[in-house]
Amino acid sequence: MIKRFQLGDRLHDQPDHELVGVIKMPETTVSPLRAIVKRVIGAGLALLATVLIVYLDRDGYRDANGDGLTFLDSVYYATVSLSTTGYGDIAPATPSARFVNVVIITPLRVLFLIVLVGTTLEVLTERSRQAFKIQKWRHKVRDHVVVVGFGTKGRAVVKTLLGDENIEPSQIVVVDTDQAALDAAGVLGLVTVHGSATRSDVLRVAGVQRARAVVVASNRDDSAVLVTLTARELAPKAHIVASVREAENVHLLKQSGANQVVISSETAGRLLGMATSTPLVVDMVEDLLTPESGLAIAERPVEPSEEGGSPRHLPDIVLGLVRDGQLFRVDAPEADAIEPGDRLLYVKKVTPAEQST
């Protein structure tokens, strides 16, 4: 049973086993056929070991027929013994045989039963395994990315992080109230947290206080503002990026602590408007925003040989220059000469032109 927390419960103060169902660690999937084969092999090995033990010590057993134990009798005894049937027609008679039964065959019987009811035990031990994984993850997670919302925008964010940014799935935590969305994120190997990110307790469980970045991709602007405010309070140094639908709410997001705000509806509207008259321009913009093929906008450090020169004279198509955290367009006076420590925003070729068309 998954414990249902009340509104006033402090999630981050709960022991790890109480967070099973709130935090879900990614599972390594095993095919049903492979799982069955492994269990059958385990049961067969336990049975074979019991047969060998009984047969080697066959003089210590009493048969109801009085003619001693054959190898087939040993197989028969091992089978009925491990399955706890125990007809009693064959029984250990000597002290040594009884000792072996207690010390060796009884544990094998238990092992045999565990293998047979492995599916049931697997369900029962799933909570313990999840609790152990949660405990290990909460102690080690650092500099991860928290993605709030796994809708269309959140999925695109995760795709970019996994692809273009080369971030490991275990370094991405998805927070959402929709269990179906969390299940889809779990398939990708992501850590998921079930709950509303407007609650500071839920964000603490997601480790936002130790995250390097927080992406707020909720569907409502008012929720985005509250999530951003809460995240900034918990993580003063994290880089927070938020998405809003209406431009009039941008200043609220920035006042709440967002480092960057993306206006999703207006950006889409501009592209739709441009597509009516200059569709090829829209195609180029989409190409630049798609990291898997064609051209992409990237950032790189300045090489020592480039210091002192102009970014306009480099082989790369430079769009801007980042200096002390501030962006200057390539046509700005501050970008006339490259200084040590600068970073360049440039157009990178991901795939050859003939392959991307």
Side-chain angles (χ1 to χ4, degrees):
M1 293 291 293
I2 297 177
K3 181 176 179 180
R4 299 296 180 184
F5 293 96
Q6 302 298 321
L7 186 60
D9 290 346
R10 295 171 58 86
L11 294 180
H12 66 279
D13 290 335
Q14 299 291 329
D16 296 315
H17 67 272
E18 294 289 0
L19 295 176
V20 176
V22 178
I23 302 177
K24 188 173 182 181
M25 308 302 296
E27 291 286 346
T28 303
T29 56
V30 179
S31 67
L33 179 60
R34 184 176 180 182
I36 293 174
V37 170
K38 288 176 63 176
R39 288 171 184 160
V40 170
I41 292 176
L45 291 176
L47 178 62
L48 178 61
T50 306
V51 170
L52 293 176
I53 291 172
V54 174
Y55 184 70
L56 292 176
D57 193 27
R58 56 188 177 277
D59 294 337
Y61 288 80
R62 183 179 66 250
D63 187 357
N65 298 327
D67 55 357
L69 262 67
T70 65
F71 184 78
L72 181 60
D73 292 332
S74 300
V75 175
Y76 166 75
Y77 174 79
T79 303
V80 298
S81 178
L82 292 185
S83 62
T84 68
T85 304
Y87 294 112
D89 50 348
I90 299 177
T94 64
S96 61
R98 291 173 179 173
F99 178 78
V100 170
N101 256 264
V102 172
V103 175
I104 300 179
I105 294 182
T106 297
L108 285 174
R109 181 182 298 117
V110 174
L111 175 63
F112 188 81
L113 293 175
I114 288 175
V115 172
L116 288 182
V117 295
T119 302
T120 303
L121 290 176
E122 184 175 340
V123 173
L124 295 176
T125 57
E126 172 64 20
R127 187 179 183 88
S128 298
R129 291 206 310 269
Q130 280 285 325
F132 176 76
K133 287 184 177 182
I134 289 172
Q135 181 185 37
K136 183 178 179 181
W137 175 78
R138 294 182 74 187
H139 281 89
K140 289 187 175 182
V141 64
R142 294 289 188 281
D143 298 326
H144 56 295
V145 179
V146 177
V147 179
V148 177
F150 201 65
T152 303
K153 292 180 289 187
R155 292 168 193 256
V157 169
V158 169
K159 182 179 180 181
T160 301
L161 293 175
L162 294 176
D164 196 41
E165 300 298 327
N166 294 320
I167 295 179
E168 293 295 325
S170 60
Q171 286 297 106
I172 302 176
V173 181
V174 173
V175 182
D176 206 314
T177 56
D178 185 359
Q179 187 58 52
L182 295 179
D183 291 341
V187 171
L188 299 175
L190 312 179
V191 179
T192 62
V193 176
H194 186 276
S196 173
T198 58
R199 294 181 55 189
S200 61
D201 235 13
V202 173
L203 290 180
R204 286 182 184 273
V205 169
V208 73
Q209 63 273 22
R210 298 184 297 274
R212 70 172 178 84
V214 180
V215 180
V216 182
S218 58
N219 294 324
R220 294 167 52 102
D221 287 4
D222 53 351
S223 298
V225 171
L226 185 54
V227 171
T228 302
L229 188 63
T230 307
R232 178 54 70 201
E233 182 183 14
L234 296 176
K237 297 182 179 180
H239 187 80
I240 300 179
V241 183
S243 170
V244 293
R245 298 176 62 88
E246 305 297 335
E248 62 185 17
N249 295 323
V250 172
H251 73 284
L252 295 177
L253 266 299
K254 291 192 174 181
Q255 288 178 0
S256 300
N259 298 97
Q260 289 179 296
V261 179
V262 177
I263 309 171
S264 57
S265 59
E266 286 203 1
T267 301
R270 290 193 189 98
L271 292 176
L272 289 173
M274 292 169 58
T276 61
S277 56
T278 55
L280 296 181
V281 173
V282 177
D283 290 342
M284 179 57 67
V285 172
E286 290 183 343
D287 184 18
L288 290 173
L289 295 177
T290 305
E292 296 89 1
S293 61
L295 302 175
I297 300 177
E299 180 179 344
R300 68 171 177 83
V302 171
E303 298 178 2
S305 60
E306 298 171 340
E307 295 176 3
S310 172
R312 293 185 287 272
H313 298 158
L314 297 178
D316 295 326
I317 302 176
V318 179
L319 303 177
L321 182 147
V322 180
R323 180 176 297 152
D324 298 327
Q326 186 175 358
L327 173 63
F328 299 103
R329 294 189 316 186
V330 69
D331 59 346
E334 292 84 356
D336 286 341
I338 299 175
E339 297 181 2
D342 289 347
R343 298 183 65 85
L344 299 178
L345 298 182
Y346 71 106
V347 177
K348 177 179 65 174
K349 181 185 292 186
V350 181
T351 57
E354 62 271 10
Q355 295 183 15
S356 62
T357 56

